[in-house]
Amino acid sequence: MDIINLLNLLLLGFGFGFVIFWHELGHFLAAKLTGVKVEQFAVGFGQALVCYRKGLGLRVGGTHKEYLERAKAAIADDGGNPATAGTAELDAAAAKIGLSETEYRLNWLPLGGYVKMLGQEDLDPNATSTDPRSYNKATVPRRMFIISAGVIMNIILAGILFGVLFTIGFNSPPPVVGSVQPGSGAQKAGIEVGDRMISFDGSILHDFTKVSLTVPLADVGEEVPLVIERDGERMTLMVEPLPAAELNDALQLGVGPPPALRGPKPVAGMDEVPSIFRPLKPLESITAIEGTPVEADDFAVLDAAIQNAKGKPVTVTVVSPEGEQRTAQIASTFTTPFGADFMPNFAGMQPRVGVRAQAGDPEDLPIVLEPNDTIVSLTRTGGTDRLEHPDFEQFREFLNIIGDAGATLDVVVSRGGELITIADVSPVKVGSGQYGLNFNPMVDATAAVVAGVEEDSLAATAGISAGAEIVAVNGTAVANWFDVDAAIKGAEADAEMVFITAEGETFTVTPTADQLAAAQINRYAPLAAFDELKQPRKADNVGQAMWWGVTETKDMVTKFYLTLRQIFRGGLSPKNLQGPVGILHTGTILSGKGTDWMIWFLAVISANLAVVNFLPLPILDGGHMVFLAYEGATGKRPSEKFHIATQFAGLALIAALFLFVTFNDIVRLVTW
């Protein structure tokens, strides 16, 4: 970790504390403004680490006992009786000798904060006071003002942070399509790589973060207008976001942000990745693709070349940061399809599992594999359980069975046409109940061997079975799945499609237009790592930046409420919610992307904290507002029994929610 990232992490921790401090500052200032006595202003919960009180200075631990002793001594010095002195008299005596009535605390558990006012205790409705400066003596409007001030301050803070962000510039991915997943709503709607997304269902997409935050809030099963810009012209496409299984069925378009046409920033372990999968060295820039000059944001040109090459390498000209020029070859693989399937299929034929790469110390790997190895078979060591030519799903399920049994397996791989047996391999746990062999899988690129056949597919209708090797399609010889895919894309609807296997068997099927369209969805992706493409969103002046900050805050608050609505309506799984662990993890990732991303993240947290705190749940500020509204309407407070019951119910609900989201956070971290 470099010094800049370390500073960002420290600043992130400070930022979290400041967001909490700012919220409590709202309650504090409102109480002071309305004449309510504040006994404690605390950041964190539990016992005090350090405290400060004007007149006493900084202390380890609390100052309340010393405060009372000095106030009582002051009363005695004036000839009074400290034993009979009330709160108001003690405070007056303390003020006379320069002591503040408010203690400022930093508590040992920094997961929140509070403002303790005289005559106010969340879990004790009897905690009242006869002092005219107590919270319980304040009018309903004054108490509403105090309670709502924390939320108001968080809204203000979010607006200020967003304003600062747009003053310095927010370097974020533009709302440009960098990839389209086969089978996604985006592909079905006709969205193409290079399209700039302008708005989704009326919401302006300023950058790609807006895409991620807006799309999951659409209604399930509904087509939504997406305004795009293509080749300088705007058009509206109707697109239906689909549930993504890997994101707990959150709705997604199936598009990704565009990378920059340059190599990634150097990271540890990069040199361990085989060169075939890192044709670009760190920060090398592509200046031409197949002889056509390009700029950093011309990824659509590379994508078009990759699609046209149909699996063959694309030649690019690259220039190093030092100005040295060379030629490189970028190979391709198949784009991961939308949904739960990891591998694509070819008219229903599923490929074998190929090896993309391994990284790390070979001594720490369960099995040492090479790029373009193909998994031919898996056998339980010393047993009869055997799986030949597995597709990805079969491969994963077999490993899970062996891993759960604590057994080992013998793996046969094809390497350069030679079969190699690797014995006594122990699967490693990669998630909850999931096992693997620590390699990145991809489609077997060596031969078109059928690992499995989907039910009711064209291949199943033709009678093709697992284990067959396709060597020709429609009279054209094929050597691998790229060739098969190209032949399928060249087929015509309502015309015979003929597959010939290595054994000389012929299989024929006549696809309808819909069947053929479903078989022609595969796309290709470059086998290369790229740097992120970022474009600054920066205001022309401070006034514009602050106005953008206001509108961005409004947008974030609205989206959070819509998110909660989606959860209650069943359109979004509660598993997508993050707790403290997940928020901290996300924050550490974003802090490494730069100070602007950290400011953006803290602004989002501040806006979301405002929404959460104002939910009408007991214990939260919103719950207090409900009680105050009832008191204002009826002229009486809720009964003590009802008040206590609802407060404890609210506390139990929040505790259960905390445990739920924390469990989800941990599961996500383990599976990542």
Side-chain angles (χ1 to χ4, degrees):
M1 180 181 294
D2 57 40
I3 188 66
I4 294 178
N5 285 339
L6 179 60
L7 289 175
N8 277 335
L9 285 175
L10 293 174
L11 197 55
L12 177 67
F14 173 79
F16 275 125
F18 184 76
V19 169
I20 296 168
F21 163 80
W22 190 266
H23 177 91
E24 298 304 328
L25 181 63
H27 295 311
F28 173 78
L29 293 177
K32 290 288 189 180
L33 188 62
T34 55
V36 172
K37 177 188 174 183
V38 178
E39 295 181 321
Q40 291 179 355
F41 180 97
V43 174
F45 293 101
Q47 297 298 315
L49 289 176
V50 292
C51 292
Y52 173 82
R53 190 189 293 263
K54 183 181 177 182
L56 294 181
L58 198 64
R59 295 285 192 273
V60 175
T63 63
H64 183 64
K65 181 177 179 181
E66 186 177 357
Y67 171 79
L68 290 179
E69 289 174 350
R70 293 204 183 185
K72 289 178 180 180
I75 292 174
D77 290 343
D78 286 342
N81 183 5
T84 60
T87 302
E89 189 177 353
L90 288 169
D91 290 338
K96 200 171 180 180
I97 60 174
L99 300 184
S100 172
E101 64 186 21
T102 303
E103 177 186 72
Y104 302 88
R105 301 164 57 102
L106 177 62
N107 294 330
W108 70 273
L109 187 60
L111 295 178
Y114 61 87
V115 171
K116 186 177 185 302
M117 292 170 279
L118 179 64
Q120 189 249 354
E121 180 65 49
D122 290 342
L123 296 178
D124 184 6
N126 293 318
T128 58
S129 171
T130 58
D131 192 313
R133 296 177 306 142
S134 67
Y135 174 80
N136 61 283
K137 290 293 184 181
T139 63
V140 169
R142 285 165 63 196
R143 279 180 279 153
M144 282 185 165
F145 174 58
I146 294 171
I147 291 299
S148 63
V151 170
I152 294 171
M153 288 290 277
N154 275 131
I155 295 293
I156 292 173
L157 178 61
I160 292 173
L161 289 174
F162 279 128
V164 171
L165 177 64
F166 298 133
T167 298
I168 65 176
F170 181 34
N171 295 296
S172 57
V176 175
V177 178
S179 63
V180 177
Q181 287 185 281
S184 65
Q187 187 186 56
K188 294 174 183 177
I191 296 173
E192 299 178 1
V193 171
D195 289 346
R196 176 175 283 271
M197 296 174 285
I198 306 300
S199 67
F200 178 84
D201 200 18
S203 297
I204 302 299
L205 304 175
H206 297 289
D207 52 55
F208 213 90
T209 64
K210 293 291 188 180
V211 179
S212 305
L213 294 172
T214 304
V215 173
L217 303 181
D219 291 327
V220 177
E222 295 290 331
E223 287 191 337
V224 177
L226 175 70
V227 178
I228 65 167
E229 185 175 281
R230 181 185 298 167
D231 299 327
E233 295 185 9
R234 289 197 176 187
M235 61 184 74
T236 300
L237 302 176
M238 298 303 295
V239 57
E240 179 187 345
L242 301 175
E246 68 273 19
L247 295 175
N248 298 312
D249 290 334
L251 296 180
Q252 299 289 305
L253 290 179
V255 299
L261 288 181
R262 59 175 172 265
K265 296 179 178 65
V267 295
M270 181 178 292
D271 291 339
E272 299 171 3
V273 179
S275 58
I276 186 176
F277 301 122
R278 52 178 182 88
L280 300 180
K281 297 176 182 177
L283 301 182
E284 277 188 330
S285 297
I286 296 178
T287 58
I289 298 172
E290 298 289 0
T292 301
V294 290
E295 301 293 333
D297 59 354
D298 285 334
F299 182 78
V301 178
L302 177 60
D303 179 79
I306 290 290
Q307 305 311 314
N308 292 333
K310 297 179 173 61
K312 295 179 174 57
V314 171
T315 302
V316 298
T317 303
V318 297
V319 176
S320 70
E322 295 75 28
E324 297 178 0
Q325 182 174 301
R326 67 181 182 89
T327 299
Q329 299 285 317
I330 296 183
S332 62
T333 186
F334 289 91
T335 301
T336 302
F338 188 89
D341 295 330
F342 187 85
M343 294 286 188
N345 71 77
F346 307 91
M349 295 177 286
Q350 297 168 329
R352 295 184 298 183
V353 179
V355 176
R356 177 169 180 172
Q358 284 185 296
D361 189 337
E363 293 185 1
D364 296 331
L365 298 174
I367 183 173
V368 178
L369 301 170
E370 295 183 5
N372 289 324
D373 279 356
T374 299
I375 306 298
V376 174
S377 68
L378 305 171
T379 307
R380 183 193 290 256
T381 303
T384 58
D385 294 340
R386 181 178 175 83
L387 181 64
E388 292 201 18
H389 303 302
D391 62 28
F392 182 73
E393 196 62 35
Q394 296 166 342
F395 172 77
R396 185 165 52 187
E397 289 178 0
F398 195 85
L399 286 182
N400 291 343
I401 292 172
I402 299 299
D404 286 337
T408 62
L409 48 80
D410 300 334
V411 182
V412 177
V413 300
S414 174
R415 180 177 300 164
E418 180 184 357
L419 295 181
I420 299 173
T421 300
I422 307 171
D424 295 323
V425 178
S426 297
V428 295
K429 199 162 190 177
V430 295
S432 179
Q434 297 292 319
Y435 291 82
L437 296 181
N438 276 21
F439 70 87
N440 295 325
M442 68 176 188
V443 173
D444 166 30
T446 61
V449 176
V450 180
V453 178
E454 288 191 346
E455 293 183 3
D456 301 322
S457 64
L458 289 175
T461 302
I464 300 173
S465 58
E469 180 179 353
I470 307 300
V471 296
V473 179
N474 290 344
T476 301
V478 296
N480 51 46
W481 289 115
F482 288 108
D483 294 341
V484 173
D485 190 62
I488 292 173
K489 287 177 177 174
E492 296 181 359
D494 301 319
E496 283 191 345
M497 186 183 295
V498 181
F499 299 91
I500 300 177
T501 68
E503 290 76 21
E505 294 180 289
T506 299
F507 299 91
T508 303
V509 65
T510 303
T512 64
D514 289 342
Q515 288 175 322
L516 188 60
Q520 294 176 335
I521 65 174
N522 287 326
R523 301 189 84 257
Y524 315 123
L527 276 172
F530 297 94
D531 195 13
E532 288 184 296
L533 177 65
K534 294 180 181 179
Q535 294 178 352
R537 184 185 173 196
K538 186 175 182 179
D540 295 331
N541 52 64
V542 174
Q544 184 184 54
M546 290 303 151
W547 175 244
W548 285 4
V550 171
T551 57
E552 193 78 4
T553 301
K554 174 179 174 294
D555 190 41
M556 285 295 172
V557 170
T558 302
K559 280 182 170 51
F560 196 90
Y561 275 116
L562 291 175
T563 299
L564 295 177
R565 187 190 71 171
Q566 284 290 81
I567 290 174
F568 283 113
R569 291 171 58 180
L572 189 65
S573 171
K575 292 181 180 180
N576 288 288
L577 293 175
Q578 282 191 329
V581 175
I583 292 172
L584 181 61
H585 177 70
T586 302
T588 55
I589 293 174
L590 295 182
S591 67
K593 298 178 70 172
T595 303
D596 55 338
W597 277 87
M598 185 180 58
I599 294 174
W600 177 84
F601 182 65
L602 291 176
V604 172
I605 292 297
S606 187
N608 289 352
L609 182 62
V611 176
V612 170
N613 263 286
F614 220 57
L615 293 176
L617 299 175
I619 296 294
L620 299 179
D621 292 342
H624 290 302
M625 289 293 287
V626 172
F627 286 136
L628 289 172
Y630 173 84
E631 182 180 343
T634 63
K636 60 181 180 180
R637 299 181 181 183
S639 69
E640 177 183 335
K641 184 177 180 180
F642 179 78
H643 185 99
I644 293 175
T646 55
Q647 295 297 312
F648 275 105
L651 188 61
L653 177 63
I654 292 172
L657 180 61
F658 175 83
L659 292 174
F660 174 76
V661 295
T662 300
F663 174 77
N664 283 339
D665 290 342
I666 294 172
V667 169
R668 273 193 295 264
L669 288 176
V670 170
T671 55
W672 284 345

